[in-house]
Each structure stands twice: as C-alpha cells, then as structure tokens.
Amino acid sequence: GEPLPVESRPFASYGSALHVALPRPLSAGQLLTLEIDYEAGEGPGVCWLTPEQTAGKQKPYMYTQGQAVLNRSFFPGFDTPSVKCTYSATVQVPEGFTAVMSATSWEKQDNNTFVFKMSQPIPSYLIALAVGDIVSAEVGPRSSVWAEPCLIEAAKKEYDGVIEEFLAVGEKLFGPYVWGRYDILFMPPSFPFGGMENPCLTFVTPCLLAGDRSLVDVIIHEISHSWFGNLVTNATWGEFWLNEGFTMYAQRRISTEVYGLAYTCLEAATGRALLRQHMDNTGEDHPLNKLRVIIEPGLWGVNPDDTYNETPYEKGYCFVSYLAHLVGEQSKFDAFLQAYVNRFKFQSITADDALGFFLEYFPELKEKGVDSIPGFEFDRWLNAPGWPPFLPDLSPGEQLMKPADELAELWAADGLNMEAIEAVDITVWRTYQLVYFLDQVLQKSPLPEGNVERLSKMYPKISKAQNAELRLRWCQIVLKNNLEAEYSKVKDFLHSQGKQKYTLPLYRAMWAGSESARALAMETFSATAPQLHVNVQNYVKKILGLEVVE
C-alpha cells in the first residue's frame, strides 16, 4: 500500500472530519482498500469504568456507546445512519477478561484474542464492544444472557425462556429475525440507558433485574428494534421517530399478543404521561417537539445526542397508530408492516420514503387524500411541534386504570377514608398498574399534611420497592411532598444506578424543591458524579447550574 496524505479538519462541536487524499480519481463501484492507523479511547463513545463502577467491584470494565454520533471517537468511519456496512474486528484483551461485540459470529483464539464478524450491513452507531469480567448463561435456543459473575444467576432466572417467546411473536408479526442470535448483556449500573439495541447483543441496564420479570417490556422494545431501527433505519437523526415511533408501535403489538390489550393500553398510558410531562417541561411549541427535527451540521449546529427526548418515541407512536387507524383493520396494518420491513430491509430511509410506501401500498387511501385531511396532514404530523393531533384509544386499559385513579383520589383527600383505602388490595396489581397509580399521586402532590407518610407505611410494596420504575416515582413523590424523612431513598436510588431517564428527572425535582432538597442534589451529585456517564454528568451540571467543561 502507498502512504497517503491525511488531515483533520473541523466539522462540528461533536467531532472533526478526517480528509484522505487519494492518489488518483476513482470511478463509482470501484473497490478500494484504505488502511488507517489510529489510536482511540479518550472520546465520549468509549467508557472506561473503574472497579467501583461495576457490580462486582473487583475489575475494571469498558464499553462503547455509539448512538447517536459517538462512534466517531471509537474508530474513523462514515458515522451517519445513512450508510450501512458489514464489519469484522480482532480484539485482544488481558487475561481474566472477555470481549463481546454486536456481531453475528465470534470465536476465541489464543492469547485471549476474540475475532468477530457482522455479516449483515448495519449503520455505524450499532457497532459495539464491551470488555470486562463477564460470563454467559443460556436462556433460549438462540439466546444467552451475559453479565458479571455476581449477576449471572439473577439474569438467567429473570430471562429464562421469555426471550424466545418475544422473538417468535415478533417473527409472526414482522417477518424473519435476520440476526441469528439475540443475546443480552447486563451492563454495570452506570450505563446511562434502559437498553441499547446493538444487533445480536442488546446492552441493558441492570435495573431490569427486578426479580419478578416485571420490567421485561424494555426487552420487548429492544427486540422490536431488530426490525425497526436495525433493519430499516432512519437515514438522518432528524427523523429518529422512524426508528423509535415504529419500535414503540411494534413493542405494543408484541405486548398485546403476549400480555393482552388491557395491560398494553395501561403501559401506553404511562408512556403518554411521560410525553405530557416532557411537553409541560419544555413548552409544547419547543422545536424538539416535532417529529422532524432540523439538525444542521457545522460548528454551531445542534448535537443529535441532545435531541433525545420522549417526542420521537411517544408522538411517533401516535403517528404510526394514526396510520393504523386510517387503515382500520389490524390484520391489514400488520401485513403492511411486514411489507414495509421487506421493502426497506438493510436500507436507510426518510419519512417521505416510509409515507410514500404507505400510500402506494394502500392506493384506496391515497385516492381519498388521507395525507391531507385538515388537522391531520402528514406535513403537520412531521413539521408542527406540540401535542399529537390523534391519540390512539387506550380505553381497554380503563379496567386497570380506574381502580388506580380512584385510589389516588382517596389518598389526595383532606380527611383520609381509611375504610375505602383498605378495601383496595394492591398486592395483586402488576408493575404498570402501580406505576400508573403513582403517576396520579404525583400529579396530585403535594398531598395534604401527613398523607404521604401514611401511604408510605401502608404500602411497603411501593415505598420499599426494589423495582426501578417504582423507585423513580416514589422518589419523585418524596421530593414533591418534601418528605425529608425519606430523602435517603432518593440518595440510595441515585447511588445505585446512573440511567439518564431516572437520574435527570430526580435532579430536576430536587433543584425545583426546598433548600434541603437542593442541598441533597449537590451532596448526591458530588458523591456519584464519577460513576455517571459523561453525557449524564453534563446534563446534571446544567440542571444544577454548574460549569460544563466541553
């Protein structure tokens, strides 16, 4: 090979561009081998954890997180979701460590070297590596769980047999699962996300190990990405709803098949509440509350990572539900989703591609002009900020919501009607019914003097919960009611994990609260900052008005 001149040029606040001068002009379709010698590891896409930041506390750990634009700090490449490629990697790690990657095949060779190959084309953000003291256990015919040794038993118990059921329903609904294996890696507690759908090997938060299989819906979400996101991908981060809106819809289709409509509607209602909360926080007409977000590259452009919020998920879900509503018959819309996946698999597409195909697939709807029904125009869905013009009917969940609504009313009353309260047995409620109840209590907070203390004593299932979704909401209730006696629970929860979706709302609540709540925020952050992902550290600093070092 001949050496080539290269230079690094400014590109954006989130990375620079590597320019390579080729020796002679090339024509389209010509194959080129380019070898780049580089060193990486300092950037935000590569996370190095000390032993204290792991579950086992014995050995260090490293992992990469590519989405949205962080893999450019892990390897040089075309770091855009519009380009897909296969990859291979040879990874040598020290004795006593294991490497895993998002690859269709891998083998261990001498010298603790692991060789990986991904045979399907994927966008750069889905290339992922983790190295640590990790072991695996089988939980299905094409699935294993990976975790630190101290977590592997819990992981196996929680997921044994369930993954295959979800995969089988997904295949029935959306067509073949093309990635071979579906494994799960339980990350150290500081992992900032619920899950990251790296193909063949989803990375998930250890918060999912609730001990009672109550949080498996997160896995259904990540499994759904095997079709929507990983197989059919948004060509730009400005149309992230194509990944997430379709995935939320797919997740809830699988959930309906497995758990029934009532429970799925209840889960969707908690999602709608999160969207409401988000839009109340930002104001409805905030530009991020559009499905099509303008992300200008360049030094002053918006960093795609900072556009992450509930809108592409829940408003995107409403738009896909609206398309299903236009079709009218569930089986016809299911057939469309299969055709959509088949038409665009291994490609990156825009919203115009997706909606164009929808109208082409249903010519009778195109004829009727469904893309321009006043108030529901596709253009308005994509480009107008604010609350979704159409909300899917969640009334089948009311049999589960109504008792929760009524119980929350009772707890918000001035004089507590203990007889009515004691008549309700919440020990039989499933997680999302409890979550829904707590969301209502939070909305009604602060409660009359003394009520939260009584509630806490009455329901240890809630106030002493180990389930992260319940812990988050109980902590929010403690802060909204300024229940200083239980501040320790907020502190413990923030010490136990670093998931962005749990961490930021609690810091916002502390910062909006009393002097003592603000003091708690500062004290907790100074103790836990080193164990948080750098992005999460910076978001918390912004909330607390601290200096952010770029």
Side-chain angles (χ1 to χ4, degrees):
E2 49 187 301
L4 299 175
V6 292
E7 63 165 329
S8 179
R9 294 188 201 159
F11 170 70
S13 56
Y14 46 93
S16 51
L18 183 67
H19 286 258
V20 180
L22 298 177
R24 58 196 82 68
L26 296 170
S27 52
Q30 202 177 333
L31 200 60
L32 166 78
T33 306
L34 183 62
E35 187 176 304
I36 301 174
D37 190 3
Y38 69 98
E39 213 169 279
E42 289 295 303
V46 185
C47 306
W48 302 91
L49 305 184
T50 60
E52 301 77 66
Q53 289 169 285
T54 67
K57 311 247 182 273
Q58 300 302 305
K59 294 181 180 176
Y61 196 105
M62 74 81 68
Y63 69 90
T64 65
Q65 165 57 37
Q67 198 177 27
V69 291
L70 298 177
N71 263 351
R72 58 195 64 182
S73 68
F74 171 29
F75 56 87
F78 299 105
D79 194 14
T80 159
S82 64
V83 173
K84 292 188 173 184
C85 63
T86 56
Y87 83 88
S88 61
T90 305
V91 183
Q92 188 180 8
V93 299
E95 276 306 317
F97 290 86
T98 298
V100 289
M101 287 191 85
S102 55
T104 40
S105 73
W106 67 281
E107 57 168 321
K108 187 175 178 182
Q109 300 182 341
D110 305 343
N111 302 331
N112 228 25
T113 298
F114 297 82
V115 178
F116 301 94
K117 274 192 188 65
M118 168 50 86
S119 57
Q120 312 281 29
I122 58 170
S124 57
Y125 74 89
L126 290 175
I127 298 176
L129 165 71
V131 178
D133 180 12
I134 43 186
V135 291
S136 70
E138 272 205 14
V139 292
R142 42 184 163 172
S143 301
S144 293
V145 286
W146 291 84
E148 295 179 58
C150 61
L151 289 180
I152 196 70
E153 276 314 305
K156 183 174 164 56
K157 206 172 117 204
E158 195 102 5
Y159 286 95
D160 208 0
V162 293
I163 293 170
E164 187 56 36
E165 183 185 5
F166 301 151
L167 285 171
V169 175
E171 290 192 296
K172 188 182 88 183
L173 289 170
F174 313 122
Y177 177 80
V178 304
W179 307 100
R181 294 195 61 78
Y182 182 86
D183 291 349
I184 300 178
L185 171 64
F186 286 90
M187 303 295 284
S190 60
F191 184 60
F193 304 106
M196 179 59 217
E197 66 273 14
N198 301 313
C200 308
L201 182 67
T202 285
F203 288 15
V204 298
T205 171
C207 295
L208 296 192
L209 298 174
D212 58 3
R213 298 194 165 178
S214 56
L215 297 181
V216 289
D217 63 290
V218 178
I219 296 294
I220 301 180
H221 180 88
E222 304 310 336
I223 284 175
S224 300
H225 272 305
S226 308
W227 293 272
F228 305 97
N230 295 6
L231 199 48
V232 181
T233 308
N234 50 230
T236 74
W237 291 121
E239 297 190 321
F240 187 43
W241 77 273
L242 285 170
N243 278 17
E244 294 302 346
F246 275 89
T247 294
M248 292 306 299
Y249 188 85
Q251 168 197 324
R252 288 169 181 155
R253 279 298 292 120
I254 294 177
S255 167
T256 300
E257 297 290 312
V258 176
Y259 297 118
L261 190 55
Y263 190 67
T264 303
C265 286
L266 178 66
E267 184 278 317
T270 61
R272 189 178 293 177
L274 286 174
L275 181 64
R276 186 68 269 169
Q277 229 175 9
H278 160 73
M279 288 204 180
D280 289 343
N281 278 341
T282 56
E284 280 204 19
D285 40 12
H286 192 286
L288 286 186
N289 296 337
K290 303 179 201 185
L291 289 182
R292 187 182 272 152
V293 178
I294 306 302
I295 299 176
E296 296 287 351
L299 290 173
W300 305 110
V302 177
N303 181 338
D305 273 312
D306 296 337
T307 66
Y308 176 83
N309 70 78
E310 292 300 334
T311 302
Y313 292 79
E314 294 295 346
K315 188 175 179 177
Y317 165 70
C318 288
F319 190 17
V320 179
S321 300
Y322 175 65
L323 298 177
H325 165 78
L326 290 174
V327 172
E329 221 172 296
Q330 186 65 58
S331 58
K332 281 187 181 166
F333 192 70
D334 287 348
F336 159 73
L337 289 176
Q338 277 216 28
Y340 168 83
V341 169
N342 203 33
R343 168 73 176 77
F344 295 117
K345 60 186 177 201
F346 303 116
Q347 297 174 51
S348 302
I349 65 168
T350 63
D352 292 343
D353 296 327
L355 296 170
F357 180 69
F358 174 78
L359 294 172
E360 185 186 310
Y361 187 87
F362 294 110
E364 68 284 8
L365 293 180
K366 185 177 185 168
E367 207 112 304
K368 281 206 305 212
V370 294
D371 55 338
S372 49
I373 297 170
F376 303 94
E377 301 89 345
F378 288 2
D379 181 69
R380 176 180 169 175
W381 271 105
L382 294 174
N383 298 312
W387 197 241
F390 170 89
L391 296 171
D393 172 25
L394 302 181
S395 59
E398 269 164 22
Q399 48 174 298
L400 298 170
M401 290 183 233
K402 203 165 167 271
D405 278 323
E406 287 166 358
L407 187 60
E409 282 291 337
L410 290 169
W411 279 106
D414 264 328
L416 289 179
N417 178 348
M418 288 317 286
E419 195 181 342
I421 286 172
E422 280 161 12
V424 183
D425 176 16
I426 70 160
T427 58
V428 295
W429 289 8
R430 291 186 53 184
T431 298
Y432 276 98
Q433 204 170 0
L434 293 166
V435 162
Y436 181 82
F437 165 66
L438 293 177
D439 280 341
Q440 304 315 304
V441 171
L442 181 61
Q443 266 174 8
K444 298 177 196 309
S445 291
L447 302 184
E449 191 71 34
N451 287 18
V452 177
E453 290 87 336
R454 301 272 309 256
L455 192 149
S456 173
K457 275 199 189 65
M458 175 127 185
Y459 304 137
K461 178 177 181 173
I462 290 172
S463 59
K464 294 191 163 72
Q466 281 313 296
N467 180 310
E469 293 289 328
L470 299 178
R471 288 176 80 180
L472 165 68
R473 285 159 179 91
W474 183 246
C475 290
Q476 287 174 304
I477 288 166
V478 163
L479 292 166
K480 193 84 189 274
N481 291 277
N482 201 25
L483 187 59
E484 293 194 26
E486 298 203 19
Y487 272 9
S488 61
K489 290 197 173 129
V490 180
K491 195 163 89 178
D492 291 346
F493 185 45
L494 289 170
H495 274 263
S496 74
Q497 54 76 43
K499 186 179 160 182
Q500 185 170 315
K501 219 170 167 179
Y502 298 152
T503 304
L504 303 186
L506 290 179
Y507 278 104
R508 280 192 203 104
M510 286 187 275
W511 206 241
S514 61
E515 277 304 303
S516 54
R518 286 186 159 210
L520 178 71
M522 284 300 194
E523 175 203 341
T524 307
F525 183 60
S526 61
T528 58
Q531 74 188 39
L532 294 173
H533 186 277
V534 58
N535 283 5
V536 181
Q537 282 184 37
N538 284 332
Y539 294 141
V540 174
K541 284 178 181 168
K542 278 185 186 138
I543 293 166
L544 305 184
L546 301 169
E547 190 96 2
V548 174
V549 185
E550 277 298 338

